[in-house]
Amino acid sequence: MPMPLESRLISHLDRGLVLDITLEDLSFRVYVAQREADVEQVAELVPAEQFQRDGDVHVAAIHDGDDASEQIQDVLFNLNPGDAIVFLCTGPQAYAEALAELGQPGPASPRADSNAT
């Protein structure tokens, strides 16, 4: 059963968001981005100050077709106060599902709304 969480948008990243989530009265910083599953991406997303704080930085890759909900819940279950999380979503489906699981609206999808006749 998913853990109830509150989510607040902090800032926008290139193809991603920075969120503060509150889970059972504990707050965590979450970086979620549509990027390749590469540890080099973490340094581009997470400011150096985050690594200098108490707590760990957890990193998880979510691929299209994965159970994003299950992966996110697994990471959230293992957090300690002061920890931060980075979710590297390798495709648009994974990114949209991760945002939904974290209580954020999905990314705007480009579509043609014109029904010109």
Side-chain angles (χ1 to χ4, degrees):
M1 181 171 146
M3 292 178 258
L5 61 82
E6 293 179 32
S7 173
R8 188 168 56 97
L9 176 64
I10 300 302
S11 64
H12 291 268
L13 301 167
D14 175 32
R15 296 177 291 142
L17 301 175
V18 180
L19 309 171
D20 273 348
I21 62 167
T22 303
L23 182 66
E24 297 178 356
D25 298 326
L26 297 173
S27 294
F28 305 98
R29 179 66 44 102
V30 177
Y31 302 84
V32 58
Q34 187 175 332
R35 301 285 180 92
E36 292 183 30
D38 180 351
V39 73
E40 297 292 325
Q41 298 293 325
V42 176
E44 291 180 19
L45 295 170
V46 180
E49 305 86 61
Q50 183 69 56
F51 294 102
Q52 296 165 359
R53 295 182 185 146
D54 289 338
D56 296 323
V57 176
H58 302 261
V59 180
I62 302 174
H63 304 278
D64 283 353
D66 286 352
D67 186 342
S69 176
E70 183 177 322
Q71 286 190 263
I72 290 170
Q73 293 300 325
D74 286 349
V75 173
L76 294 178
F77 183 76
N78 291 303
L79 294 179
N80 293 306
D83 286 358
I85 313 123
V86 178
F87 291 111
L88 298 173
C89 304
T90 62
Q93 177 189 351
Y95 182 58
E97 289 175 5
L99 290 178
E101 185 66 22
L102 295 167
Q104 293 294 313
S109 58
R111 58 183 170 178
D113 286 330
S114 62
N115 292 332
T117 54

